[in-house]
Amino acid sequence: MASGDMAGAARVAYSAPPELLRNSETLNKIKMLPAQPGQQPMILQYFTALLNIGKLNKTETLELARPLVNSGRANLLSNWI
């Protein structure tokens, strides 16, 4: 995760037992990672990678929904939930 490999981090988290890694603590750590110049924020890279593998859990869905709803883009949620 610290290396910036969000796709790899998502694969590890997705294959781990439920809630072991896919929880608020992990999401908060990812949100603290600096974005690389010219790239999406790490948290968005993580969510994109998870969605390419499968579905988000409740905690992840709420974390993704919050900024979308606040920015008036709640319609995007229908693509992911």
Side-chain angles (χ1 to χ4, degrees):
M1 192 166 68
S3 69
D5 180 13
M6 287 299 105
R11 281 191 300 275
V12 170
Y14 197 84
S15 63
E19 301 300 320
L20 179 65
L21 295 174
R22 296 178 66 187
N23 55 45
S24 295
E25 182 180 342
T26 299
L27 295 177
N28 288 332
K29 288 179 182 179
I30 294 171
K31 288 191 294 187
M32 298 299 292
L33 295 172
Q36 301 299 317
Q39 292 187 2
Q40 292 181 331
M42 292 294 193
I43 192 73
L44 290 180
Q45 291 180 41
Y46 178 76
F47 285 141
T48 299
L50 279 177
L51 288 165
N52 285 332
I53 298 168
K55 294 193 178 271
L56 301 179
N57 66 24
K58 178 182 171 184
T59 303
E60 295 158 346
T61 300
L62 291 173
E63 189 65 41
L64 178 60
R66 200 170 288 121
L68 290 174
V69 170
N70 289 340
S71 66
R73 300 184 307 174
N75 59 316
L76 295 175
L77 291 173
S78 64
N79 297 330
W80 299 318
I81 305 176

